[in-house]
Amino acid sequence: MTAREELIADALVQLADTLVDDFDVIDFLHLLTERAVGLLDADAAGIMLADQRGGLEVLAASSHEVHLIELFELQNQEGPCLEAFRTGAAVTRTDLAEMRAAWPSFTERLEQAGFASAQAVPMRLRDEVIGALNVFRVTPGPLDGSDMKLARALADVATVGLLQERAIHARERLAEQLQGALNSRVLIEQAKGVLAERTGLEVDRAFAVMRTHARRSGIPLHAVAERVVRGGADLELDLGTA
């Protein structure tokens, strides 16, 4: 087995492992974005999941800029992630001209952020689509065939993991959990800004510091964010190693 094959195998195992007592949806989805960027010929990734009403919400992104792009996509109701969720099929365009024709506002915003390509794969199991994984590149053109297959595999395994957790702990519990994750996302966004202003860190770096502290201390990420927003002085965040 090659080193890359080992990394792919490890990623699939990690994404399948959702049956743990302290399962954290937000951290799980960020893991999916990290593995997508690390294993694919991609520079960034974001995830939207359906809420209790069937609408999409941005729940994870590999950077603050990507989070803003994903929000823009939702607000303007155009882009590959929305299309993948609606159709249940992978969505890509061969070049910027096709992207501008399909998603003019989204593509303009994408280029402003320094990206030249975006595609999405649905997070689905059979006929049930629960969201979509968006993949961004700074170079033009879509992912090649093998990378697109891997993107589908990552999304599929993550979907099975989420639905498995739902089946065992009941559909209503996961719906509440996803709503809780959305509420946590709002709090985490506030905390990122507070910590960035307090320390002078970039927003993405501030998030990394909070996430590292949560993992090391065993405190849920949303609890760390709440303490940051409240101005807790006992966080002892390790700014040097996050």
Side-chain angles (χ1 to χ4, degrees):
M1 182 180 290
T2 66
R4 175 175 167 75
E5 288 171 340
E6 289 184 4
L7 289 174
I8 292 172
D10 287 345
L12 295 177
V13 168
Q14 285 181 303
L15 292 171
D17 186 18
T18 57
L19 301 183
V20 292
D21 292 337
D22 58 347
F23 177 63
D24 186 324
V25 173
I26 292 290
D27 195 59
F28 176 80
L29 295 174
H30 275 282
L31 175 65
L32 176 55
T33 64
E34 288 174 354
R35 295 298 174 264
V37 174
L39 293 171
L40 306 174
D41 183 19
D43 300 287
I47 296 170
M48 296 183 191
L49 284 188
D51 61 19
Q52 294 158 304
R53 299 174 300 280
L56 284 177
E57 300 286 352
V58 180
L59 285 184
S62 60
S63 71
H64 182 63
E65 183 61 43
V66 169
H67 181 78
L68 295 179
I69 294 172
E70 296 273 73
L71 288 176
F72 183 89
E73 185 173 356
L74 279 179
Q75 291 166 356
N76 288 271
Q77 287 295 294
E78 65 170 47
C81 217
L82 287 167
E83 193 171 324
F85 177 70
R86 291 166 180 162
T87 64
V91 175
T92 188
R93 298 291 185 272
T94 59
D95 54 34
L96 278 170
E98 283 195 3
M99 290 177 60
R100 293 188 190 102
W103 318 303
S105 297
F106 170 78
T107 303
E108 181 180 359
R109 178 66 180 84
L110 190 75
E111 290 184 277
Q112 289 172 357
F115 296 105
S117 173
Q119 48 256 291
V121 293
M123 295 182 67
R124 64 173 294 177
L125 179 64
R126 302 185 187 92
D127 294 331
E128 185 168 7
V129 184
I130 65 171
L133 167 65
N134 226 355
V135 177
F136 303 89
R137 305 177 67 217
V138 298
T139 54
L143 296 174
D144 63 25
S146 61
D147 266 8
M148 183 58 81
K149 287 181 181 178
L150 180 54
R152 289 194 189 100
L154 293 172
D156 287 349
V157 170
T159 302
V160 170
L162 287 170
L163 292 178
Q164 177 177 246
E165 208 273 347
R166 174 189 292 180
I168 291 176
H169 296 94
R171 181 179 297 266
E172 292 77 15
R173 181 177 179 275
L174 184 61
E176 292 172 0
Q177 192 176 47
L178 292 176
Q179 184 61 46
L182 176 59
N183 295 338
S184 294
R185 179 76 260 172
V186 174
L187 180 63
I188 289 166
E189 289 300 314
Q190 291 176 336
K192 283 161 59 176
V194 169
L195 188 60
E197 183 177 2
R198 185 186 303 166
T199 62
L201 294 173
E202 295 291 335
V203 173
D204 290 336
R205 175 71 171 159
F207 176 70
V209 168
M210 289 194 300
R211 192 177 176 203
T212 297
H213 179 73
R215 288 187 165 187
R216 288 177 177 169
S217 62
I219 300 172
L221 184 58
H222 68 84
V224 173
E226 185 175 8
R227 289 165 68 176
V228 169
V229 170
R230 289 182 177 179
D234 60 336
L235 286 178
E236 298 179 359
L237 298 176
D238 188 348
L239 302 179
T241 59

